[in-house]
Amino acid sequence: MEEIKKILIIGEVGDKGFLEILKHSFNATVLFAESGEEALKIAYRTQPDFVFVGKFAFGNIDAFTTANIIFDAYNIPVLFVLNEKDLENDLYQETPYEIIYIPVSESKLSFQLGRARKSLTRFKKLVEKNELSETILNYLPGFVITLDERLTVKFVNKGRNHKVTFGKELLGTKFLESLEVTDRNKLLEAINKLECGASVSEKIDLTIRYEDSALPVSCDVYCVIFSDGTHEFILYCSDISGEIKSEPLEGNGLMAVLNNVPYGVAIISEGKFEFANPEFTRITGFPADELGGLNEWFEKAFPDKSYRDVVTETWKKEIDQKNIIKTLSIQCKNGDIKQIDFRANKIDDKKYIISILDITEQRKTREALDNYIRQLKLSKDSIEQKNIQLEKLNKELRESEEKLLELNRDKDKFFSILAHDLRTPFNAILGLSQLVADEYDELTKEEVVKIVKDINSAGKNLFRLLENLLNWSRITSGRAEFNPEKVDLFELVLTAVHLLKPNADAKEIKIENNVKPNTYVFVDEQMIESVIENLLTNAIKFTPRGGKISINISEQPDKYEISVSDTGIGISKENIGKLFRIDVPFSEYGTEKEKGSGLGLILCKESVEKHNGKIWVESEEGKGSTFYFTVPKAK
Ligand code: ADP
């Protein structure tokens, strides 16, 4: 059985048995209202589960309008309670509401309540599809004709209280053509005023021609502006032919329109809310009598002072000159925040009309959509980004492949040059030793000693060259053992200096070691020793007699920078560019015709880089050179 707490009955339902069922079978609290006005108030305040509409004769708001508002604005299922004989009345047949014919059984009532709930849901779907206003307009007592901006008829309601029903023939026609010529100007004038900002026209009398007759009406024209900027005109017409009883426009008729439009409408008179329709109440949560003054509402709707100040400023500045159209964020009575489309127009010096449209859901959907689109764009961007990266990587790969091929070619070239260079000392050794063997008897002792010394020097050269070549090939092919360990750099330098002292002495060159003992580095001892040896060898080779070589060191956070300076011949800018490069073979004779291979510095570079260090040179021709390299500190 349905769980029902509260039920509102409007007017007379005429059957005690019916009430008994409600009270006892459903255990519901039953509230009563005598008029439409009273019903609206009670329904709003108590939010009953169901509203039953019987016959009522009091008040200005008729049963249908009351039902419409409760159903539409308050979202409460409505049921009409009728007697068998009301069956003959067509009006009831056409309502969207559930109709109970009494007497009714408990089970039938229960079934109908369920159906009334469903019909509310179905109806709400209509609202979403914008078909609601049409349904409601059909139940209004007067004629409602809507015209688009070009005054083409978009809609004509059924005009419930009129015997005459405009047929569909008006739809799609130019409305002006259905009017007497003199009336056309009246309507155009009214519309002109509306387009200049008025929201409701003054009442005008028109005669609408249809088929063979004509219907005199008195009408109000409203202008409705939609959120997309387009507008429509609504003519609310009362039949004044006198033949048919027609409800007066003021009061009931006008209110019925305002109460049923699908947006919130309020009228401000001398700063106070004079009227607010149910939709205005539904959106803001405030019933008309709780709204008080405009400023009061602003304080509740915009609790944040700075935001309120902006809204108030806009109102003050703009309301007298133009219509205000704004999207605002308001706080409702229950604390909810809603996005609204806010419009305000001036009616006269003291009156303003405000209309509000709840666009919170729309906004949310729109935001969700925007987000989705943004994400789509982002992922598209990131795919494009990745594509670009891939292309870049591809390009880099191609480039490095080409570089590798080139390096290989360079290496081949280098080896052919090397092979040629190797031949020179061999030629010397072979030629000179042959000379001694063949001519030994003819040679003086001094001559033999000189030749043997030359052979020894060529042999040394050859040995050094081979050693470098071997080391270099080991390192570049990855076959070299790399065993970094904590080493005292002072001792490494000392060993190298000791080894090369005879060469330096021979040219009367002084070597100064400025590295202090206990300078610990984390290196492969052999590799770094050979780097220092190579740099010292070069310094001796390219420094004239009597020169000086010094080895210096500077400490940095995690490394040492070692330098070997000489007072030698220096290197030209052009030649500096050729150093450390396997692709440009570069070797010159020393100051005393010492021969090299052009391999030493290349080997040094490989060794230093294996330690993640750097090697470079600063040099000035004629003054000397300084070679620098870095090695990691020992922890
Ligand atoms: P090489 O065995 O020919 O000395 P390197 O690679 O050690 O091979 O050096 C290449 C070239 O760099 C040398 O031939 C020389 O022209 C130049 N060079 C190297 N060190 C010095 C230096 N201290 N002073 C002047 N020139 C130098």
Side-chain angles (χ1 to χ4, degrees):
M1 178 84 48
E2 280 280 334
E3 234 282 88
I4 302 172
K5 293 204 189 82
K6 243 178 276 162
I7 280 169
L8 172 64
I9 296 178
I10 312 172
E12 267 298 319
V13 292
D15 182 24
K16 289 239 166 59
F18 177 66
L19 285 180
E20 288 304 312
I21 293 179
L22 287 179
K23 277 186 189 157
H24 295 116
S25 306
F26 294 93
N27 205 13
T29 310
V30 184
L31 309 163
F32 296 95
E34 287 204 304
S35 66
E37 285 91 324
E38 202 187 348
L40 290 181
K41 267 187 213 149
I42 298 176
Y44 180 76
R45 294 210 180 113
T46 62
Q47 293 287 316
D49 298 292
F50 292 95
V51 170
F52 293 93
V53 185
K55 287 205 192 68
F56 63 91
F58 303 100
N60 276 326
I61 308 179
D62 66 14
F64 282 97
T65 312
T66 310
N68 286 345
I69 295 171
I70 290 177
F71 187 76
D72 171 45
Y74 301 170
N75 292 332
I76 302 168
V78 171
L79 299 95
F80 275 79
V81 188
L82 305 177
N83 289 309
E84 269 338 330
K85 59 176 187 295
D86 292 318
L87 255 175
E88 290 148 30
N89 193 333
D90 290 350
L91 276 177
Y92 291 111
Q93 295 298 334
E94 288 185 39
T95 63
Y97 307 123
E98 192 65 25
I99 296 173
I100 297 166
Y101 293 105
I102 47 176
V104 65
S105 72
E106 193 189 300
S107 58
K108 175 108 193 270
L109 181 61
S110 178
F111 168 74
Q112 287 196 283
L113 288 177
R115 222 161 52 178
R117 273 226 169 99
K118 275 196 204 118
S119 124
L120 181 69
T121 330
R122 214 172 35 239
F123 210 65
K124 286 294 146 193
K125 285 199 182 123
L126 280 183
V127 180
E128 283 159 23
K129 284 200 247 149
N130 232 342
E131 289 165 24
L132 173 74
S133 39
E134 185 169 330
T135 319
I136 286 176
L137 290 170
N138 277 335
Y139 285 93
L140 288 178
F143 282 121
V144 177
I145 300 169
T146 62
L147 309 176
D148 68 8
E149 291 169 28
R150 295 170 169 187
L151 307 186
T152 306
V153 179
K154 304 299 285 182
F155 170 79
V156 187
N157 77 336
K158 287 187 179 154
R160 179 160 59 82
N161 282 5
H162 299 265
K163 276 196 184 138
V164 189
T165 315
F166 287 126
K168 293 222 161 74
E169 68 269 9
L170 268 185
L171 285 181
T173 63
K174 297 273 176 228
F175 186 62
L176 289 181
E177 287 166 14
S178 303
L179 296 180
E180 300 292 338
V181 182
T182 45
D183 289 351
R184 292 181 189 170
N185 283 337
K186 281 197 242 170
L187 181 64
L188 285 174
E189 238 170 71
I191 280 174
N192 216 358
K193 277 189 194 149
L194 290 174
E195 283 181 332
C196 290
S199 55
V200 186
S201 76
E202 277 156 28
K203 210 174 287 295
I204 46 174
D205 290 347
L206 303 171
T207 302
I208 304 171
R209 292 186 303 204
Y210 66 99
E211 288 170 0
D212 297 332
S213 44
L215 178 75
V217 293
S218 164
C219 71
D220 296 304
V221 189
Y222 303 83
C223 182
V224 184
I225 304 165
F226 296 101
S227 46
D228 64 357
T230 58
H231 54 276
E232 259 182 23
F233 301 101
I234 301 176
L235 276 67
Y236 188 79
C237 315
S238 267
D239 183 340
I240 49 170
S241 63
E243 289 167 24
I244 312 148
K245 179 192 154 278
S246 168
E247 291 172 33
L249 265 183
E250 225 115 354
N252 204 11
L254 172 62
M255 285 310 164
V257 171
L258 290 182
N259 281 334
N260 285 295
V261 285
Y263 40 86
V265 180
I267 293 171
I268 315 286
S269 181
E270 299 189 341
K272 296 247 177 289
F273 276 88
E274 189 182 76
F275 165 83
N277 74 346
E279 181 64 6
F280 196 94
T281 301
R282 193 192 65 77
I283 295 173
T284 61
F286 294 106
D289 52 359
E290 274 181 39
L291 281 161
L294 183 68
N295 289 340
E296 252 173 88
W297 180 57
F298 274 9
E299 272 182 29
K300 290 174 198 153
F302 314 112
D304 178 76
K305 189 174 176 301
S306 48
Y307 187 50
R308 181 168 69 241
D309 287 348
V310 173
V311 178
T312 315
E313 259 320 286
T314 313
W315 178 280
K316 276 192 205 147
K317 259 201 223 143
E318 296 181 5
I319 191 66
D320 287 327
Q321 288 112 43
K322 54 179 182 188
N323 301 344
I324 297 176
I325 303 176
K326 277 206 162 328
T327 301
L328 298 175
S329 169
I330 59 161
Q331 181 168 318
C332 308
K333 190 178 175 184
N334 64 1
D336 284 356
I337 302 295
K338 281 183 184 162
Q339 301 282 321
I340 57 162
D341 177 271
F342 177 96
R343 283 151 201 266
N345 306 33
K346 184 177 175 173
I347 303 175
D348 59 37
D349 280 346
K350 288 172 191 153
K351 280 196 184 188
Y352 302 98
I353 184 161
I354 292 179
S355 73
I356 59 176
L357 194 65
D358 187 349
I359 53 168
T360 316
E361 285 307 313
Q362 221 174 305
R363 273 284 160 116
K364 274 190 205 148
T365 324
R366 172 87 161 274
E367 265 163 35
L369 194 71
D370 282 354
N371 258 336
Y372 181 65
I373 291 174
R374 211 171 305 130
Q375 268 169 13
L376 269 183
K377 274 199 193 132
L378 273 182
S379 59
K380 193 175 150 231
D381 281 357
S382 93
I383 288 173
E384 273 170 11
Q385 206 73 38
K386 287 211 178 100
N387 249 337
I388 292 173
Q389 257 171 22
L390 262 176
E391 265 171 29
K392 205 174 138 213
L393 282 178
N394 237 333
K395 195 169 159 241
E396 278 172 14
L397 197 72
R398 268 202 309 274
E399 276 172 5
S400 80
E401 253 176 14
E402 264 164 34
K403 213 169 181 179
L404 209 69
L405 280 174
E406 203 176 314
L407 272 182
N408 246 336
R409 273 198 301 273
D410 291 340
K411 215 154 94 180
D412 290 348
K413 197 160 79 192
F414 175 74
F415 274 108
S416 67
I417 292 167
L418 201 71
H420 178 262
D421 282 3
L422 273 173
R423 240 179 239 142
T424 320
F426 269 116
N427 282 343
I429 292 168
L430 293 175
L432 289 174
S433 53
Q434 186 73 47
L435 181 70
V436 179
D438 291 352
E439 317 267 332
Y440 188 75
D441 292 336
E442 269 99 287
L443 293 169
T444 62
K445 198 181 169 196
E446 286 72 30
E447 279 173 326
V448 171
V449 170
K450 168 137 193 342
I451 292 172
V452 171
K453 268 191 180 169
D454 283 350
I455 292 175
N456 180 260
S457 158
K460 268 188 189 161
N461 237 337
L462 191 61
F463 180 72
R464 183 141 206 91
L465 178 64
L466 281 177
E467 204 180 43
N468 271 346
L469 190 61
L470 210 63
N471 280 339
W472 175 79
S473 90
R474 271 201 204 121
I475 293 176
T476 51
S477 65
R479 275 182 293 119
E481 275 187 37
F482 179 62
N483 293 319
E485 54 194 339
K486 188 177 170 180
V487 181
D488 189 351
L489 191 70
F490 172 76
E491 280 169 18
L492 273 189
V493 175
L494 210 64
T495 316
V497 170
H498 186 72
L499 189 79
L500 293 166
K501 195 156 186 303
N503 299 26
D505 286 348
K507 285 176 85 175
E508 294 157 23
I509 293 170
K510 263 178 53 186
I511 302 180
E512 190 178 288
N513 176 10
N514 293 323
V515 179
K516 298 273 168 305
N518 302 322
T519 306
Y520 291 103
V521 291
F522 191 71
V523 298
D524 181 296
E525 196 172 346
Q526 262 183 336
M527 277 192 198
I528 296 305
E529 196 185 303
S530 102
V531 170
I532 299 167
E533 263 177 51
N534 264 307
L535 294 181
L536 279 178
T537 309
N538 281 348
I540 297 167
K541 207 153 77 173
F542 297 103
T543 301
R545 283 179 179 270
K548 192 183 144 189
I549 294 169
S550 56
I551 303 154
N552 293 298
I553 187 159
S554 89
E555 187 173 356
Q556 283 169 20
D558 51 357
K559 60 189 173 198
Y560 286 110
E561 189 181 289
I562 300 136
S563 62
V564 178
S565 306
D566 62 52
T567 55
I569 58 171
I571 314 165
S572 71
K573 278 225 170 65
E574 194 199 335
N575 286 344
I576 284 181
K578 296 178 190 164
L579 301 184
F580 310 110
R581 286 172 62 179
I582 196 168
D583 56 329
V584 187
F586 177 64
S587 177
E588 285 179 332
Y589 288 104
T591 54
E592 301 196 351
K593 297 269 176 287
E594 299 103 319
K595 176 81 180 85
S597 64
L599 195 60
L601 289 180
I602 294 168
L603 182 68
C604 289
K605 185 170 185 272
E606 297 286 351
S607 300
V608 169
E609 282 176 357
K610 190 100 185 159
H611 290 81
N612 289 324
K614 273 191 188 147
I615 184 163
W616 69 101
V617 62
E618 283 167 9
S619 180
E620 207 177 313
E621 258 181 305
K623 287 204 170 159
S625 314
T626 303
F627 281 80
Y628 298 87
F629 69 96
T630 59
V631 284
K633 267 185 187 173
K635 296 216 170 79

